[in-house]
Amino acid sequence: MPNAPAFTTATACSRALTGAVVGHFMDDRKKDLEKALAPQINAGEASVQILADNSLLVTETGSTAFAPGSAVVNSGFIPTLQTIANVVNTYGKTTIAVIGHPDRTGTEAERRALANQRAEAIRTMLLGMGVSPILVTASGNPNSQYMDGRVEVVIHPLTSA
């Protein structure tokens, strides 16, 4: 088995290269999003950050979050969603996970329902903006530390196993 370590090393290098390529791709998408979302970011309506797994996190702020008890998308967040849809549709190779967060009020069941409704409302808007249904998932996080009506949009890179 003298070739086993070389194969393992070659495989590890290949995976590292894939990781580096994915990291570069997502870093470029972050720059694209930040440039396109500059008005919203500067106005404090959204934030963008890159996560450890090379995913991008776009978050609503207090000024664009859902109204208490509501699952109606705040009109201030629609330009941000349109930009996300444009970037995803233009560059591909990504999926979107929408995570809805509840308010502090209500029972656990009510918070769960509201968080899910908020996530689904954002998902529905993204679909209406041309994002393929297979690329967007939505779920609520009723036990979130963020009980302020926000929704987080996580843009994941597509990678092969």
Side-chain angles (χ1 to χ4, degrees), residues 8-152:
T8 303
T9 302
T11 302
C13 288
S14 173
R15 287 187 182 153
L17 180 59
T18 301
V21 169
V22 168
H24 179 71
F25 175 80
M26 292 306 287
D27 189 52
D28 285 349
R29 296 304 68 79
K30 180 179 185 270
K31 290 175 186 171
D32 294 337
L33 273 172
E34 287 177 330
K35 183 177 179 183
L37 290 174
Q40 291 93 328
I41 292 169
N42 292 336
E45 297 171 350
S47 68
V48 179
Q49 68 185 76
I50 195 158
L51 304 175
D53 67 351
N54 291 314
S55 296
L56 300 177
L57 174 64
V58 180
T59 305
E60 285 179 297
T61 64
S63 66
T64 56
F66 286 86
S70 175
V72 176
V73 178
N74 183 319
S75 62
F77 198 57
I78 293 173
T80 300
L81 293 174
Q82 186 64 58
T83 300
I84 292 169
N86 290 342
V87 168
V88 169
N89 289 334
T90 298
Y91 298 102
K93 298 184 177 110
T94 57
T95 60
I96 300 173
V98 181
I99 305 164
H101 299 274
D103 300 328
R104 294 189 186 282
T105 60
T107 66
E108 184 177 337
E110 290 168 335
R111 288 192 305 272
R112 178 179 297 107
L114 185 58
N116 285 327
Q117 290 166 357
R118 288 174 170 172
E120 187 57 35
I122 297 293
R123 179 183 176 277
T124 300
M125 290 207 83
L126 289 168
L127 297 179
M129 295 172 180
V131 178
S132 174
I134 197 165
L135 299 178
V136 187
T137 61
S139 63
N141 183 359
N143 299 314
S144 170
Q145 67 182 10
Y146 304 113
M147 299 244 184
D148 58 2
R150 76 176 62 190
V151 167
E152 297 174 312

